[in-house]
Amino acid sequence: MNKVYDVGIIGGGVSGVLVALQLAELGIEHVLLEQKESVVNGPPFCHLHVGGNLYPDISDEQCRILMKQSIEMARLFPQSIDERPTLITVPKTENYQVDQIESRLNMLVEFYKKLIKEDPSNAILGAPNDYYKAYSLEDLEALSKLPSIKRPTSPDEWMTNAIKLIDYNQLKMPLFLVQEYGWNFFRLGAQAQLALNRTDKCTLQLNTEVENVKDVRNQDLGYNWELITKDKTYKVNYLVNSCGFSTGKFDECLHLDVERLIEFKAAYVSQWKPIPGLIPELVFHGKRGTQHGMGQLTPYRDDYYQIHGMTEDITLFDKGVVKAKANCAQPEFDEDIKRKLNYGWDDKEINDRTGKAIDYIAKFIPSFSSATVGGPPLYGAQQIPGSDLSLRVGEVSFPTQFYARSEIVKASSALTVANHIIDNMVEENIILSTPEIFNTNNLLDSISKNDIDKLAEKTVEQRGYPKALARLVIARE
Ligand SMILES: Cc1cc2nc3c(=O)[nH]c(=O)nc-3n(C[C@H](O)[C@H](O)[C@H](O)COP(=O)(O)OP(=O)(O)OC[C@H]3O[C@@H](n4cnc5c(N)ncnc54)[C@H](O)[C@@H]3O)c2cc1C
């Protein structure tokens, strides 16, 4: 009889790897089955979403949760965090009120203070009173006359560089510079994969697609589930389904109905030579799905910039959101989206959509019209539990005994969800107990920056992106 694992995890995205890393820390033997050639290979993530500043429509409670979860993840994966601020603006054409944005930022300052009081190591965003700074028209006019700074360190220096590029007459005042950082998913994946390779508690099986799951809980076999792949059947006691937008496939195998949406989205890679100095991320708010959806320019290293435009011509897609049906827990995209997901994009599509993304940003940053296509888009599908498309804090559910279904919407929720799953394993007697505070990971801490640099670069190249995407804009030691 072959081996029985305490836990079997299907899917090595950020959610699955966090469960694996926490189990390894506890000394629990498990198998992690990932169909692709490396972990964290699903939809991209590039913002930490500390405080949810990109989403004016979500509740204050979701903003607080995102802040707490983002700080926890940033503490685990410091080598993937790009410490450059984000400029939040509202065009005059939009209904959003800047004073509402400011009152939310003030709420977040108070919440951040509370998090630091609970644990001083949470102060990863700097001093709470510097969490954001508001800039009036007079401030901007004064800053625009100053010379640009190669490597800005203060909010005013970042703003001095940014304001030279932006047509700020189109924007409501004030503008807000917020300590909302970038998040490099190639580097997070590299650190996680190196850490999992270092532990004998995790059997990491890459290039291994699970085709079926068999429930044998009532058959007295000494294990509960069979995870069936082309070559082998894995026997496990506890099943974690962390397949991202494909979790429904195994809900169907287990005859579980569920309400869920899945959404396909893309961000575009461009190259541009602006002023000789770093700029913050730039956000121009707008109503999602309209012709004025949010525009967002994210700086990478070596003059690469990523673009989001929340319109159907750019980041969103016609029929890009699909819903689960009764007896059909796995929603299906149309053939065009399935082709992109499975085989990538053709050059014409890349050029068309990246071109539209560049034009969109150039409305606010006129010199951005000189940007060119920098590589293939970063794209993928994510799941949203329930039916509310604006939900940003997904969670986890335990629809039946010894089965956890991860339902994260944003990567920042991965540690929280992993720890909930582990609590459930304790309730189910798979694990005896856990430490009271469980938000550190020695395995991750043992991985060097040099090794992360090397593996991140290799993965970026394997996936066909420019090498610069493997590095932080502001390197950390
Ligand atoms: C364009 C875009 C931008 C985004 N930007 C951000 C952002 O800035 N910040 C943020 O926090 N979040 C962002 N997100 C959301 C984020 O990408 C997701 O929340 C996150 O990746 C979900 O992680 P996951 O582990 O649940 O799923 P996934 O990352 O999808 O991982 C699931 C894994 O399961 C594997 N798998 C599936 N089926 C099988 C099978 N049968 N056998 C074996 N393996 C299988 C897949 O290959 C995959 O690796 C973005 C999403 C998109 C689409």
Side-chain angles (χ1 to χ4, degrees):
M1 178 176 139
N2 62 19
K3 191 179 169 96
V4 174
Y5 293 91
D6 290 327
V7 182
I9 306 166
I10 316 179
V14 63
S15 187
V17 299
L18 258 297
V19 177
L21 286 161
Q22 294 297 74
L23 286 173
E25 194 77 356
L26 292 170
I28 306 295
E29 279 211 67
H30 59 281
V31 59
L32 171 57
L33 305 164
E34 165 54 48
Q35 66 190 358
K36 294 195 183 157
E37 71 214 347
S38 52
V39 299
V40 192
N41 205 339
F45 44 90
C46 34
H47 313 103
L48 197 55
H49 291 312
V50 129
N53 291 301
L54 301 184
Y55 308 112
D57 300 327
I58 65 173
S59 66
D60 283 3
E61 182 55 14
Q62 283 198 62
C63 291
R64 285 190 288 267
I65 295 173
L66 283 174
M67 176 175 257
K68 184 170 190 304
Q69 295 182 337
S70 298
I71 289 176
E72 285 171 358
M73 287 293 280
R75 286 179 56 184
L76 278 188
F77 295 95
Q79 277 298 336
S80 68
I81 304 300
D82 224 336
E83 279 185 15
R84 46 85 191 136
T86 297
L87 180 65
I88 307 281
T89 75
V90 181
K92 288 179 181 163
T93 49
E94 299 309 300
N95 284 331
Y96 297 122
Q97 304 299 326
V98 280
D99 49 350
Q100 276 173 359
I101 291 182
E102 187 151 24
S103 65
R104 173 176 282 184
L105 287 167
N106 287 329
M107 178 276 290
L108 285 166
V109 169
E110 293 312 309
F111 185 65
Y112 181 39
K113 285 182 188 162
K114 189 168 154 262
L115 293 177
I116 296 176
K117 209 165 158 200
E118 281 167 17
D119 181 350
S121 309
N122 284 334
I124 62 140
L125 309 168
N129 289 336
D130 298 334
Y131 174 60
Y132 83 94
K133 184 164 179 184
Y135 287 87
S136 66
L137 186 59
E138 297 72 51
D139 298 332
L140 298 180
E141 279 166 352
L143 290 177
S144 68
K145 297 191 181 92
L146 299 179
S148 51
I149 295 106
K150 197 163 181 343
R151 166 66 182 89
T153 50
S154 68
D156 284 0
E157 289 180 354
W158 283 103
M159 202 60 185
T160 298
N161 284 1
I163 211 59
K164 292 192 171 37
L165 303 165
I166 302 171
D167 177 4
Y168 53 85
N169 289 318
Q170 292 190 54
L171 306 173
K172 292 185 186 175
M173 294 295 146
L175 314 187
F176 302 102
L177 194 75
V178 184
Q179 294 307 316
E180 172 135 345
Y181 297 155
W183 199 4
N184 187 302
F185 96 121
F186 297 108
R187 296 182 70 79
L188 182 143
Q191 188 179 355
Q193 185 155 318
L194 290 162
L196 291 174
N197 283 337
R198 192 168 276 192
T199 167
D200 59 3
K201 297 296 168 200
C202 177
T203 303
L204 173 60
Q205 301 286 42
L206 298 171
N207 299 307
T208 306
E209 181 186 357
V210 177
E211 293 177 347
N212 199 357
V213 170
K214 209 163 141 198
D215 178 359
V216 294
R217 286 175 296 175
N218 296 325
Q219 296 181 26
D220 220 4
L221 295 173
Y223 58 91
N224 294 319
W225 308 99
E226 290 181 351
L227 314 187
I228 300 158
T229 71
K230 193 163 150 249
D231 308 313
K232 193 170 167 182
T233 294
Y234 294 85
K235 301 168 180 177
V236 308
N237 277 319
Y238 190 100
L239 169 61
V240 179
N241 177 355
S242 52
C243 287
F245 80 95
S246 308
T247 49
K249 172 171 171 170
F250 300 113
D251 287 329
E252 276 174 17
C253 292
L254 304 174
H255 309 289
L256 295 167
D257 264 348
V258 64
E259 206 179 356
R260 82 155 51 88
L261 303 167
I262 59 172
E263 181 175 28
F264 180 81
K265 289 188 299 185
Y268 301 86
V269 180
S270 65
Q271 252 189 314
W272 177 46
K273 261 209 177 312
I275 49 151
L278 303 180
I279 59 167
E281 168 146 341
L282 305 175
V283 171
F284 305 95
H285 272 314
K287 195 166 165 35
R288 190 183 201 274
T290 66
Q291 281 307 307
H292 299 236
M294 179 180 69
Q296 192 181 351
L297 190 66
T298 309
Y300 278 85
R301 216 176 158 101
D302 300 343
D303 299 323
Y304 282 94
Y305 290 82
Q306 179 194 272
I307 312 165
H308 276 86
M310 292 295 165
T311 77
E312 275 199 0
D313 301 344
I314 305 174
T315 289
L316 310 177
F317 287 76
D318 180 30
K319 305 196 184 76
V321 180
V322 245
K323 209 171 155 181
K325 298 187 195 115
N327 303 321
C328 200
Q330 179 58 46
E332 287 275 322
F333 288 117
D334 69 12
E335 289 308 314
D336 181 45
I337 292 181
K338 278 202 252 182
R339 178 181 51 80
K340 287 189 177 66
L341 276 169
N342 296 327
Y343 306 106
W345 297 42
D346 63 40
D347 286 349
K348 184 175 176 317
E349 285 174 308
I350 296 176
N351 291 332
D352 276 2
R353 283 219 177 216
T354 311
K356 283 180 184 155
I358 291 171
D359 293 347
Y360 198 62
I361 295 296
K363 287 196 301 190
F364 300 107
I365 305 177
S367 59
F368 194 66
S369 57
S370 64
T372 53
V373 177
L378 292 150
Y379 62 93
Q382 65 189 92
Q383 67 172 326
I384 303 165
S387 57
D388 175 6
L389 194 55
S390 72
L391 183 75
R392 287 293 168 269
V393 182
E395 263 291 344
V396 54
S397 48
F398 304 100
T400 180
Q401 203 185 14
F402 305 124
Y403 174 55
R405 181 206 290 134
S406 165
E407 297 177 326
I408 66 170
V409 180
K410 289 290 153 197
S412 21
S413 306
L415 176 63
T416 310
V417 162
N419 286 345
H420 284 178
I421 293 175
I422 284 167
D423 286 345
N424 185 260
M425 289 178 195
V426 174
E427 281 164 31
E428 302 282 12
N429 292 322
I430 300 284
I431 298 178
L432 290 182
S433 65
T434 57
E436 205 174 305
I437 297 175
F438 195 35
N439 52 11
T440 54
N441 191 288
N442 292 317
L443 261 179
L444 284 172
D445 292 348
S446 71
I447 306 301
S448 73
K449 171 183 180 297
N450 200 19
D451 287 345
I452 297 172
D453 286 348
K454 279 198 227 144
L455 184 57
E457 217 160 88
K458 192 172 150 202
T459 350
V460 161
E461 282 188 308
Q462 267 170 357
R463 297 183 199 171
Y465 293 103
K467 246 163 106 170
L469 269 57
R471 295 296 182 102
L472 298 177
V473 175
I474 300 176
R476 305 166 67 114
E477 282 321 308

